[in-house]
Amino acid sequence: MTGKETTMTLIEGHAPLTPDASIPVLDVDPYDETVLADPFSWYAALREAGPVAFIPRYNVLAVGRYEETRQTFSDHENFVSSRGIGFNDFKLEKPWRPPSIILEADPPDHTKTRRVMSKALSPKVVRTLMDDFRAAAEEVVDALLERSEVEGVVEIAEAFPTRVFPRAVGMRDVNPRHLVDYGAIVFNAVGPDNALRRAAMARAPEVAAWINAACARDRLTDDGLGALVYGAADEGEITPDEAAMLVRSFLSAGVDTTVTGIGNALWCFSQNPDQWEALKADPSLARPAFEEVLRITSPVHTFLRTANLDTEIAGHPVPESAKVLCVLGAANMDPEKWGDPEAFRIDRRPVGHMAFGAGIHGCVGQNIARGELEALLSVMAEKVDRIEPAGPARWRPNNAIRALDRLPLKLIPN
Amino acid sequence: MVKVTYRQPDGSEQTLEGKPGDSVMQLAIGAGVPGIVAECGGSMACATCHVYVDDAWTGKTDTRSESEEDMLDCAMAEMKDSSRLSCQLRLTEALDGLVVHIPEEQF
C-alpha cells in the first residue's frame, strides 16, 4: 500500500471517485428504507438515466439496464469480487469477517473453490436430496392445512429450508433463528454504513461465532454436503481451513436466500390467483414458475463490483477502484429485455434472468434452491386449492436482499 | 446462417438456423426445443443444457474448457467424450449442419 492510499479519506469504505463528465448523475438514495421496500421506481429511474449512472450519495456508479448489468456483473477480469461485493474496498479497508473464499475471490483462487462447491451442489447430488425435500414439504404443508390462517414467512418460508437444508449439509447443531439471521447479516453488510448495516454488525459477533463453530468437521455428519467439502480437503484439493470456510458459505448463502425465494413465491401466487390455477393444472411448471418468481422479485437485488483497472462501461470511462452497483432487480425488470416485465407469467421461462447472477460468480447453489422450490411448490399445487392474502404483506428492508417480513395467508385445501 | 439439428432421445428432430456467435443453447431456447433447459442462462452453473455432439462432428467443434468438463461431470446424464454444455458451444460457419443429441434427463 502506498502512502497516498493510507492517508486517503474513504467514502463508504472505498476510494473517492470523480465520474467522467459523460456519465449521468442520479441523485437518489437506493438504500432509503421506503425505496428498499418498493424499489421499482428506482429501478426504472436507473434504467432511464442511461447505461451507467453516478450516485453521488454513495459515490458509486450503478448499472440497471439488462445488457450492461449482465456484462458488468460477469466481467470478472475488469470488475473483480476480491475487493468486496459491498461498499468496502477490501484493498483499502479491513472487511468485517474473513472474506469468503468463493464469493469474494477472483480466479485462480476462485476456480479451485468453485469447483469443489459445484461438485457438492451438482444436479446429481441434488437428485439424492429430493425425496427428503418432498417429504418435508408434505409435513410442513399438511400441518398448516387445518388452520384458517398462516403466517407465510415464519410458518412456510422459514420452516421449510431450516428443516431440510441443515439436514442436507449434515449439521449436528441446528438453530433456525441463527441460520436465517446469519444470511440477513451478511446481506446487510453488503450495503452502506446505514442503520440496517449497523444493526447487523451489532448482532454479527454472536451469530457468526455460532455459525463458525457449527461448520467444524466434528459438528457435521459424514454423509452430507459438508462432508463432501471436507472430502475435497482429504483429497488435497483445498485445505481443511478452506473446507470450513466453504461450509460457512453454505450457511451464509443457502438459507436466507431460499427463505426469501419461498416467501416471494407465495406472495406472487397470492397476488396472481390465475397463475396458481395454471400451476395446479400443470404441476410440471413448478420449476419455470420459480424462475419467474426470481425474475420478478429479485431476492438478491444488488451486489457490487470493483473496477480493478481503468476500464469502461458502454463506452464511458470507469477508473480503477470505482465501485459499481449492479442492480440485478432493475435488469430483471428491463422492458427492453422482457417486453412485459411487470406481468407474472409462470410459463415465461425467463432464461438469462439475473437473480442468480451470471458468469463465474453465478450462484453455485442454484440447483439446490430449484430442488427445494420444486418440491415445495409441487406439493402445494397438489394439496392447496387457493392461496389468498389474509392481510397486508410487509417487506423487510435489507441492503442486498428483498424479503418479506410478514405474509398473512389463507391456504384453502383441495 | 448456420443450421443445427437437435435430435431427441425418441429420434424426433428439429432443425434451426442461427447466426455465428450464438450458442447452441441460445438457439434452442429461442425456439423452445424440449430438453434444453438451461436454467442458469449460460453461466456454467447448472449443467441442464447438456448435449452429445454427433459422431460425424467429432473434432470439428472447439475443445471443452476445464470448467466446462467439471460441470459436465456434475450433469444428470452420463458424461461422454462427445458431451458439451450447449451454452459453451458457439455457432460458426464451419459448424453449418451440426447435429446434437439431447440426453434423457437434465435435472
Side-chain angles (χ1 to χ4, degrees):
Chain A
M1 204 177 267
T2 68
K4 189 181 163 207
E5 279 163 338
T6 52
T7 56
M8 183 193 293
T9 304
L10 302 183
I11 301 177
E12 293 291 350
H14 61 266
L17 159 72
T18 307
D20 188 80
S22 67
I23 296 177
V25 174
L26 189 57
D27 190 13
V28 295
D29 181 0
Y31 295 91
D32 181 292
E33 293 195 14
T34 58
V35 177
L36 291 171
D38 183 8
F40 296 95
S41 50
W42 135 247
Y43 293 166
L46 175 59
R47 289 190 307 263
E48 183 67 24
V52 55
F54 177 67
I55 314 278
R57 186 184 171 104
Y58 299 108
N59 198 252
V60 291
L61 299 174
V63 288
R65 292 183 183 176
Y66 180 81
E67 287 305 331
E68 284 77 18
T69 307
R70 187 172 184 89
Q71 174 63 32
T72 307
F73 199 76
S74 52
D75 179 358
H76 59 268
E77 289 174 2
N78 288 301
F79 298 101
V80 297
S81 291
S82 60
R83 292 170 73 169
I85 54 135
F87 283 80
N88 299 85
D89 186 343
F90 292 178
K91 206 169 161 183
L92 305 176
E93 201 172 74
K94 188 175 182 290
W96 71 277
R97 60 169 193 172
S100 162
I101 58 174
I102 180 162
L103 178 72
E104 296 155 331
D106 301 325
D109 302 341
H110 170 269
T111 314
K112 183 180 69 170
T113 50
R114 171 87 189 190
R115 179 179 302 142
V116 171
M117 292 295 263
S118 287
K119 286 191 177 159
L121 293 162
S122 75
K124 272 183 199 157
V125 172
V126 172
R127 177 70 70 95
T128 66
L129 301 170
M130 287 305 288
D131 286 346
D132 187 52
F133 289 176
R134 286 200 192 92
E138 294 204 1
E139 284 166 24
V140 168
V141 175
D142 284 345
L144 299 176
L145 286 179
E146 292 151 25
R147 305 248 309 273
S148 59
E149 202 180 306
V150 302
E151 207 296 285
V153 172
V154 174
E155 295 183 293
I156 308 174
E158 292 184 354
F160 179 69
T162 54
R163 182 175 302 213
V164 297
F165 193 73
R167 204 147 66 197
V169 172
M171 298 179 74
R172 296 186 195 275
D173 310 318
V174 178
N175 178 330
R177 195 68 260 151
H178 279 0
L179 282 169
V180 174
D181 290 354
Y182 186 59
I185 289 168
V186 171
F187 285 114
N188 268 322
V190 167
D193 181 26
N194 57 11
L196 292 168
R197 190 174 195 276
R198 286 194 288 269
M201 290 299 97
R203 283 209 62 211
E206 180 202 349
V207 180
W210 183 87
I211 290 284
N212 291 339
C215 294
R217 190 167 201 171
D218 64 358
R219 302 313 307 149
L220 300 173
T221 62
D222 57 10
D223 60 353
L225 306 178
L228 291 176
V229 172
Y230 277 102
D234 295 339
E235 298 293 318
E237 289 180 59
I238 49 173
T239 68
D241 285 349
E242 287 173 330
M245 291 286 284
L246 290 178
V247 174
R248 188 191 73 169
S249 294
F250 282 140
L251 307 183
S252 45
V255 185
D256 193 41
T257 47
T258 320
V259 167
T260 303
I262 294 171
N264 293 7
L266 297 172
W267 179 79
C268 287
F269 283 114
S270 70
Q271 300 293 315
N272 297 275
D274 61 317
Q275 296 301 297
W276 186 249
E277 290 300 318
L279 180 62
K280 285 191 303 171
D282 182 2
S284 75
L285 287 172
R287 278 175 93 96
F290 179 43
E291 301 305 311
E292 178 69 342
V293 167
L294 291 171
R295 183 196 65 79
I296 204 165
T297 68
S298 296
V300 175
H301 57 76
T302 312
F303 272 170
L304 290 90
R305 294 286 188 256
T306 314
N308 204 36
L309 66 175
D310 290 341
T311 177
E312 52 141 54
I313 295 174
H316 299 279
V318 173
E320 188 273 336
S321 85
K323 282 277 180 184
V324 186
L325 280 182
C326 296
V327 186
L328 308 174
N332 281 342
M333 294 299 281
D334 187 347
E336 290 285 314
K337 169 71 180 173
W338 308 107
D340 57 347
E342 276 152 35
F344 173 68
R345 292 195 281 107
I346 64 169
D347 62 353
R348 182 189 295 269
R349 298 184 191 262
V351 171
H353 71 70
M354 292 294 297
F356 283 127
I360 64 165
H361 290 286
C363 174
V364 73
Q366 55 186 275
N367 302 308
I368 196 167
R370 289 191 178 98
E372 287 184 51
L373 265 289
E374 181 190 356
L376 184 65
L377 289 178
S378 42
V379 163
M380 288 187 77
E382 279 164 29
K383 294 174 183 269
V384 180
D385 186 45
R386 298 198 309 278
I387 301 177
E388 293 177 353
R394 194 167 68 210
W395 295 89
R396 179 186 298 170
N398 183 293
N399 287 330
I401 194 159
R402 185 158 180 267
L404 286 152
D405 190 53
R406 258 185 70 77
L407 181 63
L409 294 173
K410 276 189 203 136
L411 302 183
I412 295 110
N414 268 331
Chain B
M1 297 302 269
V2 183
K3 282 200 181 68
V4 181
T5 298
Y6 300 82
R7 198 164 291 157
Q8 297 290 337
D10 68 2
S12 65
E13 55 179 53
Q14 195 171 349
T15 299
L16 302 173
E17 285 194 7
K19 51 180 195 305
D22 283 354
S23 71
V24 171
M25 177 277 275
Q26 284 168 320
L27 185 59
I29 289 293
V33 175
I36 305 280
V37 187
E39 286 175 322
C40 82
S43 295
M44 287 201 282
C46 73
T48 63
C49 68
H50 180 195
V51 295
Y52 300 113
V53 172
D54 190 79
D55 291 344
W57 291 85
T58 304
K60 292 176 184 151
T61 60
D62 59 351
T63 51
R64 307 183 294 212
S65 70
E66 206 179 326
S67 6
E68 184 180 344
E69 295 204 337
D70 287 340
M71 210 59 226
L72 283 165
D73 198 27
C74 295
M76 268 320 295
E78 183 201 356
M79 176 182 170
K80 301 178 185 169
D81 289 345
S82 59
S83 287
R84 291 299 305 261
L85 293 178
S86 57
C87 66
Q88 302 302 309
L89 192 49
R90 300 258 159 209
L91 303 184
T92 60
E93 298 290 354
L95 289 181
D96 189 22
L98 177 71
V99 178
V100 296
H101 301 260
I102 294 170
E104 291 278 355
E105 50 185 359
Q106 296 281 22
F107 57 81

